[in-house]
Amino acid sequence: MDKKDLRIVFMGTPEFAVGSLKALVEGGYNVVAVVTQPDKPVGRHGNTLKAPDVKLYAQEHGLPVLQPVKMKDEDFVETLRQYHADLQVVVAFRMLPEVVWNMPRFGTFNVHAALLPQYRGAAPINWAIINGEKQTGVTTFFLDHDIDTGRIIMRETFDIPEEADVEYVYNGLMDLGAQVCLRTVDLVAALDGNVPSIPQEQLVNDEPLHTAPKIFNDTCRINWAKSSREVCNFVRGLSPWPGAWTMLHTKGKADNGTVLKIYQAAISPKNAPSLPVGSIVNDKNTLCVVTGEGLLEIKQLQLAGKKRMDAKAFINGFKDISNCSLA
């Protein structure tokens, strides 16, 4: 099938999805419409609307944009049907009802930022790093009734360096995802929709399956009773967003403490002193915390109401740090 004859509806919202949409447009494919989330209220009073990144790109390239509040809305479904899509491509969007994903004759496929069946869920990049994975990747798969369980079309791996954070892996998978997305659509066009795929059950081995649930603020609180390696991975997996946090307590004060976000940390080669978990150990240049196993050096952090800074600047501006602990 010629590229111009393959009618595609693209669905996505954040920057991560723009790379794939751009790959399809620049690859010469016929993207007939783009579906994205409604504009989001921002600002102190929520009276300013911010358009999704995907919408901005679509408008720049003259692509029709649909922004349904509910995917089952009858008017939206009927409008979508009028585009007569052969294929729908989904990247970083939301769960679709069957009436939507089953509409195109060639089906609907999703670009997922993990090596399915591992890390099904909303936050696969974060959880892969938190769990200390050395490798992740991108999977394209056909949507079905359950979340991230459909038949797999392609998988490509991506190595995670030991000190890499979410931003590094996000950017790498965004680029890789665009490439795999384009290759998947190329395959659909070349085979007139008769694309080979395999059930995810064939890829399940003896390793436990990790999930990737949505991350909330409470999820991001550091548990200092874990090992220094686990805490370090936790910080990496939430940096720079949404950010791992802890409470800074000053000995002798009856308040509830102050929120402290930690953006960069490393395992200290020093032996941990015989102090309670969460105790702060510092000198003029380094700031370390006693964990359940070892000592963790804090390199970049941000106290509530202050700017992000390195540990040395924090120590210089917080003279009473030795009288504090983290919990």
Side-chain angles (χ1 to χ4, degrees), residues 10-324:
F10 184 90
M11 301 184 180
T13 297
E15 177 193 24
F16 190 90
V18 174
S20 294
L21 176 58
K22 181 180 179 182
L24 295 177
V25 171
E26 295 184 354
Y29 279 102
N30 183 19
V31 179
V32 295
V34 169
V35 182
T36 190
Q37 296 274 34
D39 293 2
K40 185 178 180 180
V42 295
R44 186 173 182 179
H45 302 290
N47 51 8
T48 301
L49 294 179
K50 184 180 185 300
D53 292 324
V54 162
K55 177 182 178 179
L56 296 176
Y57 180 88
Q59 289 178 329
E60 289 173 1
H61 293 80
L63 303 175
V65 176
L66 305 178
Q67 295 180 275
V69 174
K70 296 181 179 179
M71 298 300 290
K72 290 184 178 181
D73 179 82
E74 292 183 4
D75 290 339
F76 163 70
V77 171
E78 183 56 33
T79 299
L80 185 65
R81 189 174 283 115
Q82 297 306 310
Y83 284 100
H84 303 290
D86 300 303
L87 176 71
Q88 288 176 161
V89 178
V90 181
V91 185
F93 197 45
R94 56 172 133 166
M95 189 173 180
L96 304 181
E98 182 175 1
V99 68
V100 172
W101 60 255
N102 200 32
M103 190 180 296
R105 60 177 179 141
F106 294 157
T108 299
F109 79 79
N110 182 273
V111 179
H112 187 71
L115 296 173
L116 292 174
Q118 292 288 0
Y119 295 101
R120 294 169 176 160
I125 300 176
N126 302 90
W127 286 109
I129 301 173
I130 289 172
N131 290 335
E133 301 288 0
K134 305 297 183 185
Q135 190 178 72
T136 183
V138 168
T139 303
T140 54
F141 67 96
F142 287 114
L143 294 190
D144 62 13
H145 293 92
D146 298 315
I147 298 175
D148 300 337
T149 60
R151 294 177 65 91
I152 289 175
I153 308 166
M154 290 185 181
R155 291 201 313 170
E156 292 288 342
T157 60
F158 180 87
D159 292 334
I160 305 176
E162 186 171 335
E163 302 304 324
D165 61 13
V166 166
E167 186 171 33
Y168 175 91
V169 180
Y170 178 97
N171 289 334
L173 292 183
M174 180 168 57
D175 293 339
L176 180 60
Q179 298 171 32
V180 178
C181 176
L182 184 59
R183 291 206 300 271
T184 301
V185 176
D186 286 343
L187 190 63
V188 172
L191 299 178
D192 286 338
N194 297 310
V195 177
S197 60
I198 61 172
Q200 294 190 26
E201 290 72 21
Q202 291 186 15
L203 298 173
V204 175
N205 51 35
D206 294 334
E207 296 180 0
L209 287 180
H210 297 288
T211 58
K214 186 176 180 179
I215 290 176
F216 299 94
N217 185 58
D218 288 347
T219 313
C220 302
R221 187 167 188 171
I222 297 170
N223 179 1
W224 295 105
K226 293 191 174 183
S227 70
S228 293
R229 170 49 65 192
E230 289 175 307
V231 177
C232 186
N233 289 341
F234 189 77
V235 170
R236 292 169 51 225
L238 297 169
S239 179
W241 64 85
W245 64 273
T246 186
M247 297 301 295
L248 178 70
H249 296 276
T250 303
K251 296 174 185 176
K253 286 191 175 182
D255 58 27
N256 295 322
T258 305
V259 174
L260 180 71
K261 283 197 171 186
I262 299 177
Y263 293 99
Q264 187 178 357
I267 299 172
S268 174
K270 301 176 183 178
N271 293 326
S274 298
L275 293 172
V277 165
S279 295
I280 293 175
V281 181
N282 74 287
D283 55 31
K284 292 182 179 180
N285 297 307
T286 61
L287 178 65
C288 295
V289 183
V290 176
T291 68
E293 183 183 319
L295 199 62
L296 189 75
E297 180 180 351
I298 309 303
K299 291 182 173 290
Q300 289 188 0
L301 65 168
Q302 182 179 18
L303 195 63
K306 305 293 183 180
K307 65 179 182 179
R308 180 172 170 176
M309 64 185 72
D310 61 32
K312 185 176 181 179
F314 181 79
I315 294 169
N316 290 337
F318 201 111
K319 301 301 182 182
D320 202 29
I321 190 64
S322 295
N323 197 38
C324 297

